[in-house]
Amino acid sequence: MESQESNDPAAVTPVLMCGGVGTRLWPLSRRSYPKQFTSLFGRESLFQASARRFLGDCFAPPVVITNTEFRFIVTEQLAEIGIKPAIIMIEPEARNTAPATLAVSLFMQELNPDALILVVPADHVLPDMEMFQAAVATGMKPARSGDIVTFAVCPDRPETGYGYMELGEISDRGVVAVKRFVEKPDPAEAEALVASGRFFWNSGLLLFSSQTMADAFEAHASRLVKPVRDALSHATQDMGFLRLAPGPWSQAGNISVDYAVLEQSKRITAVPYTGTWSDLGGWDSVWAESMTDDQGVALTDHAYAIDCQDVLLRSESRHQVLVGLGLRDIIAVAMPDAVLVADKARAQDVKAAVQHLKDIQISQAEEFPREHRPWGYFEHLTRGPGFEVRRITINPGAALTLQSHSHRAEHWVVVAGGARVTADGHGQIVERNQSVFIPPDCRHRLENPGTDRLIIIEVRTGASLEEDDVVRYV
C-alpha cells in the first residue's frame, strides 16, 4: 500500500472511528458488516470516502480505531484505495466514543504532545472536500491554543436523529463559542431549535491537541484515565494491529465523549459548516442524500417505480428486481436474505425492529450470508439435510490454515483463478473448471498463488457441517 506522506510535525492526524453497527440502516447494515463498509453512493464505501478526505499536505497518515471483527475489512478497503494507516487500533469491546478518544489522545501524546488530532466517524457524508478542509484549517489555530473544536452544521430541517449545539457570537477567528449541547430532541423541540436560528447540528467531528484532550479527561472524567492508560501501556502488536489490553479496557466506562468531556468543559468552540453533511442515521437520510427525480423518487439498479412519490427503492442484487407501484413516502430495501418496507417517517424505528428480530432469534438481524475472514470471505448459497453449498473468495497470495475435518467431506470446483491445494502432504494446482475432493480426516490447505481473486464453489457433505468440526495445525 502507498500512503500519503507528511513530514510536517504540525500536520493534523485524522482518527477514523469505525466500530459502530449502524442498525438503523438494516438490512444493508448489520453487526457483521455495518454501514461504514458498504457502498451506499457510488463504488467506494463510506469508510473509503472518509479516508480519501484526508489526502493532503496538512494531514498525516490516519489512525483507525475499530474492533477485532472488522480489522481485516479495514485493511482490505484501505489497500484498495492505496492508503496506509499510521496504526490500526483494536478495541477489545465497544465502550462508546470517550474511551476511544482518550486512547488515541494518550497514544499521540507520547509521540508529540502538541499533535493536532481530528476525530471523525467513518460513516458520514461530506462530499465537498475543499470546503471541509477549509473548515479544518479554520479550527487549527484555536485547537493549538487549547480549545476543543467542534464542527457545527447549519440545519436545513427539523431533525430528531441529530444532537444540537447552541452557538454564541462568531469571533474574529472564524469560530464560535458553544453555549450548550442538546441531545436528540422530539419533533416539536426540533422545530423550535431550528426556528430560533441559534442551534446547529452537532456533526460529531472533533479537532484538538493530544495534550488538551488528555487534560480535559483528567479534569472532567478522571475515572476513565487509568483503565485506558493501562489498556494502552499493556497493548500488544498483532500482524500490524495494536490490540488494547482487554482487562483494563473492560473497566473503562461506556460513555460518549460528549457526556464525559464536552458538556463539562468551558473551552469548546465550533466552526460553522455550511456544506453538505449527513451521518446517514436512517434510511430517510439516505433518501435525502440520494439523486431523486422530480417526484422525489430515488432508485438503484434493478429497482423500478410506477406512479410513486418521495420513495427510496433499493435492490442490492442484480438477481432481485424490486418494483414499487403507487407508493408514497415509503422506503423499500431488498437484499437476498431480508427485505425492509417502511414508512419514511418511521425510519428511526428500524433499530427497534432489528431488536425485535434479535429477541426472537432471527439470524438476519445481525448476520449476513457473507462472512469475512483474513484470507477473504465466503457466502452461504444453500443448505439442506447433510449438505451445504458455499462460494469462497480468496484474496491474491492468501491461504487458509492447514486443517482437517472429522465428520464432513468437501468438494471444491474452481470457477475463477487458480488454486494450490495440499492434501495429506501432496500439492497440486487446480485450474478453472477443475475440481478436487477432500475426504474426512484429510489434512488440507487451500491457497491462492495468483494475482487475481480465487473463487471456489464448495459443497460440504456429512454428518456435521458446522465450524466446530475442524482441527487446525500450526
Side-chain angles (χ1 to χ4, degrees), residues 415-456:
V415 296
R420 179 185 291 121
V421 177
T422 302
D424 283 337
H426 301 287
Q428 62 175 310
I429 297 297
V430 184
E431 303 286 357
R432 182 181 179 186
N433 294 329
Q434 296 180 337
S435 63
V436 65
F437 172 66
I438 306 296
D441 298 317
C442 172
R443 292 193 183 193
H444 61 275
R445 186 195 304 274
L446 178 61
E447 303 173 72
N448 179 4
T451 57
D452 297 321
R453 288 185 171 180
L454 166 64
I455 302 178
I456 287 177

Side-chain angles (χ1 to χ4, degrees), residues 42-175:
R43 298 184 63 182
E44 289 187 343
S45 71
L46 298 174
F47 171 65
Q48 289 173 317
S50 295
R52 276 197 186 278
R53 210 167 286 140
F54 305 110
L55 293 174
D57 293 338
C58 65
F59 294 111
V63 172
V64 180
I65 302 181
T66 188
N67 59 41
T68 295
E69 289 79 6
F70 304 153
R71 67 194 188 282
F72 294 112
I73 303 173
V74 165
T75 303
E76 181 178 345
Q77 291 204 352
L78 288 177
E80 287 176 354
I81 59 175
I83 292 179
K84 183 177 181 180
I87 193 72
I88 298 176
M89 189 177 292
I90 305 297
E91 294 181 282
E93 59 181 299
R95 307 304 289 168
N96 215 313
T97 55
T101 301
L102 177 57
V104 76
S105 299
L106 296 176
F107 175 80
M108 293 300 298
Q109 189 180 28
E110 292 295 318
L111 303 178
N112 178 7
D114 298 321
L116 290 186
I117 299 169
L118 179 64
V119 171
V120 292
D123 55 1
H124 289 190
V125 171
L126 282 158
D128 193 329
M129 187 177 298
E130 290 186 4
M131 183 177 288
F132 171 72
Q133 292 185 354
V136 173
T138 299
M140 290 173 69
K141 185 175 181 179
R144 288 198 179 101
S145 299
D147 286 359
I148 298 173
V149 179
T150 63
F151 295 83
V153 179
C154 184
D156 58 10
R157 64 187 184 277
E159 175 60 62
T160 60
Y162 297 157
Y164 289 72
M165 298 184 288
E166 183 180 11
L167 303 185
E169 297 297 323
I170 192 167
S171 71
D172 56 4
R173 299 181 298 170
V175 297

